[in-house]
Amino acid sequence: MVEVSTPLPAPSADVWRRAVTPEGINDELRPVLRMTMPKRLRGRTIDDVPTGETLGRSWILLGGVLPVDYDDLRLVELEPGRRFQERSSMATLRLWTHERIVEPDGTGACIVTDRLGWEPRALLARIPGSDRLVARIVGALFRHRHRRLARYWGLSPAARKASSSS
């Protein structure tokens, strides 16, 4: 499991509104990755989709162009404006879980926390050290996402460094 939290100098409602859109998600991933959205999700946000059912396939593109994995998206819990939990399957992972929480900190700002978990597919699980490798990749990707969030919301580089964890 990997967890990354970052305080942001912005209201939680504003951070949430951006974080649940395809534009916000892809801005966090850039320039490393980009995710496509299934047709039925185009023009919608996470707040607009049903929970408990597979929403479609999202391709994960290295550098925004090279397909390296896919995610069969499924939200299992949603608290609009505050929290979601995705529990999906991917080409490389039998189970992928992503929980994002955006909470006000009492000062008009907020804290964003991502909790990630996974179970590799059998082939990947047989490779010695694969779980540690997945943890390193997921940790690096979400620390990158949080740096992008911090940059977007105007957090200084010194403050960003102090707030990073995994």
Side-chain angles (χ1 to χ4, degrees), residues 53-75:
E53 62 185 68
T54 300
L55 302 169
R57 183 161 288 176
S58 174
W59 286 94
I60 300 168
L61 308 171
L62 182 64
V65 294
L66 180 66
V68 292
D69 209 338
Y70 64 78
D71 186 348
D72 285 334
L73 294 170
R74 184 169 58 103
L75 288 182

Side-chain angles (χ1 to χ4, degrees), residues 2-70:
V2 169
E3 182 173 313
V4 182
S5 289
T6 301
L8 297 175
S12 61
D14 293 349
V15 172
W16 178 266
R17 262 192 305 278
R18 178 163 173 78
V20 297
T21 66
E23 296 79 19
I25 293 164
N26 280 314
D27 186 59
E28 290 177 29
L29 291 168
R30 256 186 219 90
V32 179
L33 297 173
R34 180 172 67 87
M35 285 180 67
T36 66
M37 290 297 136
K39 285 183 184 183
R40 73 185 274 201
L41 298 184
R42 292 189 186 140
R44 299 172 82 184
T45 73
I46 287 172
D47 283 339
D48 302 326
V49 300
T51 58
E53 62 185 68
T54 300
L55 302 169
R57 183 161 288 176
S58 174
W59 286 94
I60 300 168
L61 308 171
L62 182 64
V65 294
L66 180 66
V68 292
D69 209 338
Y70 64 78

